[in-house]
């Protein structure tokens, strides 16, 4: 019953507004109901995220974070909010929630702050965040360190940390994803250095290991650069099948270019 109440209300109201609305409708123990329903709200948050209703997912996470008294669990929710804002391209807002999550001991948020710092060109700050995350045995930070050194054009160190990430043992699905990211990133590094064979090897490794769509796209781009257009189309289509939106644009553009060439022959 409570799930229906929450689902019907969550699209419109903040936590405070929700409690007031429930009270006005004679739900005397509104706060107690919501606290008991944290797990149900969490399920809703995940459902909204899977359905790409990110703003609704954020509302759910904010409710849980407001109700949570355990610092570790609150940090986890703040990280989830930050991650959702990053999906919306709101990096400044994401950063605010990552900082809050990090203060509550969330190591994923520390890694995220490191990556944001890399993208902001604040390499010294990024290094502090990422080395701290690695020290606390958060394996995805190895990939992030590889990315930092790639941006700094310290390619030997970039290769070192990407390989360490690839050799690490993932503890969950998230770490498995970042391991496949490292495979793709190492392929990008090798391609940049003109090392085609190992670049293709690591792109294919990412695909075989975790059906990694970004690896599919980069392998498609590689083959397109070599004018192996059938292979390029194949890997773009594979990425589309994994619901990776950038591949749709790349495949459409490639088909249009191919059509234009045929028309001018």
């Amino acid at each position: 019953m409570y799930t229906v109440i929450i689902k019907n209300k969550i699209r419109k109201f903040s936590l405070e507004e929700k409690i007031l609305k429930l009270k006005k409708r004679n739900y005397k123990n509104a706060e107690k109901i919501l606290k008991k329903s944290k797990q149900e709200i969490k399920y809703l948050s995940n459902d909204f995220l899977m359905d790409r209703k990110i703003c609704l997912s954020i509302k759910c996470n904010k409710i849980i974070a407001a109700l949570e008294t355990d610092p570790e669990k609150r940090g986890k929710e703040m990280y989830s909010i930050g991650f959702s804002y990053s999906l919306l391209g709101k990096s400044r807002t994401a950063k605010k929630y990552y900082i809050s999550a990090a203060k509550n001991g969330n190591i994923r948020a520390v890694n995220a702050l490191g990556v944001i710092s890399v993208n902001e060109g604040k390499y010294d700050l990024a290094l502090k965040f990422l080395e701290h995350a690695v020290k606390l045995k958060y394996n995805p930070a190895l990939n992030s360190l590889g990315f930092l050194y790639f941006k700094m054009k310290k390619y030997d160190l970039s290769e070192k940390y990407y390989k360490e990430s690839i050799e690490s043992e993932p503890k969950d699905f998230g770490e498995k994803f970042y391991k496949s990211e490292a495979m793709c990133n190492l392929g990008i590094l090798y391609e940049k250095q003109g090392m085609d064979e190992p670049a293709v090897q690591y792109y294919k490794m990412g695909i075989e290991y975790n059906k990694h769509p970004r690896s599919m796209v980069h392998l498609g781009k590689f083959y397109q650069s070599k004018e192996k257009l059938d292979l390029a189309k194949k890997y773009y289509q594979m990425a589309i099948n994994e619901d990776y939106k950038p591949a749709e644009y790349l495949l459409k553009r490639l088909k249009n270019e191919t059509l234009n060439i045929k028309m001018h022959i």
Side-chain angles (χ1 to χ4, degrees):
M1 183 181 82
Y2 301 139
T3 303
V4 175
I5 294 169
I6 294 163
K7 199 165 187 176
N8 287 341
K9 301 289 181 184
I10 200 150
R11 296 172 184 275
K12 294 182 180 178
F13 305 118
S14 68
L15 172 64
E16 294 79 12
E17 290 170 329
K18 183 180 297 303
I19 291 173
L20 286 172
K21 289 284 181 181
L22 289 171
K23 283 180 175 177
K24 285 179 181 178
R25 293 174 182 273
N26 297 319
Y27 292 104
K28 295 179 181 178
N29 297 317
E31 293 95 333
K32 189 175 180 180
I33 290 171
L34 286 167
K35 285 179 181 178
K36 285 184 177 179
S37 303
K38 274 193 296 187
Q39 190 58 51
E40 295 178 50
I41 301 171
K42 185 64 181 174
Y43 289 146
L44 284 174
S45 173
N46 293 335
D47 288 344
F48 285 138
L49 193 61
M50 291 296 290
D51 292 340
R52 296 186 178 179
K53 297 175 181 176
I54 297 172
C55 291
L56 296 178
S57 179
I58 289 171
K59 284 188 177 183
C60 290
N61 288 126
K62 284 183 176 180
I63 290 170
I64 301 167
L67 296 169
E68 193 56 73
T69 55
D70 181 270
E72 183 178 345
K73 291 180 180 178
R74 179 175 170 80
K76 187 175 180 181
E77 296 307 320
M78 300 304 275
Y79 170 81
S80 295
I81 296 166
F83 178 74
S84 294
Y85 275 119
S86 72
L87 292 177
L88 293 172
K90 297 182 177 181
S91 59
R92 186 175 296 180
T93 306
K95 186 176 180 178
K96 181 180 83 170
Y97 283 98
Y98 286 146
I99 290 170
S100 178
K103 286 178 179 177
N104 281 277
N106 188 277
I107 194 60
R108 291 185 176 187
V110 175
N111 180 65
L113 288 168
V115 174
I116 288 173
S117 297
V118 174
N119 290 326
E120 292 176 342
K122 299 175 181 177
Y123 297 149
D124 290 342
L125 181 60
L127 188 60
K128 289 179 182 178
F129 282 128
L130 297 176
E131 285 185 336
H132 179 62
V134 168
K135 190 176 180 180
L136 294 177
K137 308 296 184 185
Y138 184 61
N139 290 335
L142 293 167
N143 173 63
S144 302
L145 269 173
F147 175 60
L148 167 62
Y149 285 119
F150 179 82
K151 297 290 283 186
M152 295 173 72
K153 299 184 179 179
K154 296 183 178 181
Y155 297 136
D156 289 346
L157 285 170
S158 179
E159 180 184 29
K160 173 182 181 289
Y161 284 107
Y162 284 148
K163 284 187 173 180
E164 286 188 22
S165 178
I166 291 166
E167 291 164 5
S168 68
E169 192 62 38
K171 301 182 185 75
D172 53 35
F173 176 80
E175 292 200 5
K176 185 176 181 180
F177 169 77
Y178 282 109
K179 183 171 178 173
S180 58
E181 279 279 291
M183 294 170 184
C184 180
N185 288 337
L186 188 53
I188 293 168
L189 174 61
Y190 284 140
E191 186 178 353
K192 183 176 180 64
Q193 294 177 308
M195 302 166 66
D196 290 354
E197 188 174 336
V200 170
Q201 175 190 343
Y202 280 97
Y203 290 146
K204 288 184 175 179
M205 189 185 294
I207 295 167
E208 291 165 8
Y209 176 70
N210 198 30
K211 293 184 178 179
H212 188 246
R214 199 163 69 89
S215 295
M216 297 169 189
V217 162
H218 278 279
L219 189 52
K221 286 181 176 180
F222 171 82
Y223 283 127
Q224 187 174 348
S225 72
K226 304 298 181 183
E227 297 187 359
K228 296 182 179 181
L229 302 187
D230 287 341
L231 283 171
K233 290 176 183 177
K234 171 188 172 183
Y235 285 103
Y236 289 152
Q237 187 59 57
M238 284 176 65
I240 291 169
N241 294 344
E242 295 299 320
D243 203 26
Y244 191 65
K245 296 300 181 183
E248 294 179 5
Y249 166 75
L250 291 167
L251 182 57
K252 184 178 180 180
R253 188 178 68 177
L254 176 56
K255 287 181 176 179
N256 288 338
E257 288 175 359
T258 305
L259 182 63
N260 289 336
I261 290 169
K262 287 180 179 179
M263 288 176 65
H264 286 89
I265 292 176

